[in-house]
Amino acid sequence: MKYKIDNAEIILKIGDITEEDTEAIVNAANSTLMGGGGVDGAIHRKGGPSILEECKRIREKEYPEGLPTGEAVITTGGNLKAKYVIHTVGPVCHGKFTQREKQLLYNAYYNSLKIAKENKIKTVAFPSISTGAYRCPVEEAAKTALKAAIDFIKTENYLQQVRFVLFTEDIYEKYSEALKEIINEI
Ligand code: AR6
């Protein structure tokens, strides 16, 4: 599914984010920045050890206590097609999605796009942050993700493309529903 907004487009697709050819892909990391399972594990496996080395340096220099939830940092993409990986940390939901989780998830998307712009990146691919191990409800997370991307596009007028690369058909359907709902409200 495609949706044009100002000078940018939002794309929803089913796929594996490690295969994407956007300038940057976003990693659903954890505060340690030391890798993990899910999409984080897949990105480090395919991208190779240089990504983890950069993450370690960022931890030591800038975030000795860990990257706070909702913040984002950038490394190169190692062996990936994408030139950069933006690492962000979504909230741990355990199934609940109050204003707090919503705001933190919004921040994770928005701050990732801010870092993209600061690095002159115009095409970015996101996974569905926090909807795997961190168990945020997908319907709500999808609305928040799309809203953050649309807000950023409208406010900054810089990006060319924001791609949501969804791992399963079920998640894709939920993002499509959320996007249709948002389009109807605009
Ligand atoms: N491409 C696209 N999406 C993927 C891929 C992939 N290759 N692999 C999984 N997904 P998760 P979280 C989807 O658990 O909930 C890690 O251990 C998956 O189906 O990766 O933010 C980190 O180190 C789901 O929809 O991230 C953290 O500790 C979505 O990506 C923790 O998990 C997110 O699932 C972060 O949990």
Side-chain angles (χ1 to χ4, degrees):
M1 183 174 177
K2 244 185 209 181
Y3 179 58
K4 187 122 178 64
I5 202 159
D6 297 342
N7 294 317
E9 59 184 357
I10 289 190
I11 291 181
L12 308 184
K13 63 178 277 195
I14 299 174
D16 173 350
I17 200 162
T18 64
E19 297 291 336
E20 292 302 310
D21 60 0
T22 42
E23 289 164 86
I25 64 170
V26 177
N27 182 17
N30 60 60
S31 291
T32 70
L33 294 177
M34 292 298 113
V39 72
D40 194 5
I43 287 172
H44 280 285
R45 264 196 309 278
K46 202 170 278 183
S50 65
I51 300 178
L52 189 60
E53 279 158 28
E54 285 181 61
C55 282
K56 279 185 184 151
R57 279 200 291 277
I58 293 170
R59 265 296 300 273
E60 278 162 23
K61 273 201 195 142
E62 294 170 54
Y63 295 102
E65 321 251 284
L67 183 66
T69 304
E71 301 293 319
V73 296
I74 189 165
T75 66
T76 57
N79 303 326
L80 296 166
K81 286 180 196 159
K83 196 167 172 207
Y84 298 98
V85 177
I86 294 168
H87 306 258
T88 189
V89 184
V92 180
C93 290
H94 296 304
K96 79 171 186 307
F97 203 72
T98 65
Q99 192 53 40
R100 184 175 176 278
E101 287 81 20
K102 190 176 179 173
Q103 185 65 53
L104 289 169
L105 188 61
Y106 184 96
N107 294 349
Y109 282 97
Y110 205 91
N111 287 328
S112 295
L113 294 174
K114 257 181 153 167
I115 288 242
K117 185 183 175 195
E118 283 162 19
N119 287 274
K120 302 190 164 53
I121 294 164
K122 288 177 181 272
T123 57
V124 181
F126 281 102
S128 177
I129 298 168
S130 280
T131 60
Y134 284 176
R135 289 188 45 235
C136 294
V138 182
E139 289 90 344
E140 299 294 320
K143 272 186 225 160
T144 304
L146 291 163
K147 182 152 192 331
I150 292 169
D151 286 352
F152 189 91
I153 288 168
K154 289 190 156 185
T155 313
E156 302 285 336
N157 193 22
Y158 183 78
L159 297 172
Q160 271 171 8
Q161 193 187 96
V162 180
R163 217 179 271 180
F164 288 88
V165 183
L166 293 329
F167 210 40
T168 65
E169 204 166 321
D170 182 51
I171 300 173
Y172 173 82
E173 289 305 329
K174 287 178 173 142
Y175 272 72
S176 301
E177 284 310 309
L179 183 54
K180 282 178 204 148
E181 228 175 87
I182 292 172
I183 292 169
N184 285 334
E185 284 164 12
I186 290 175

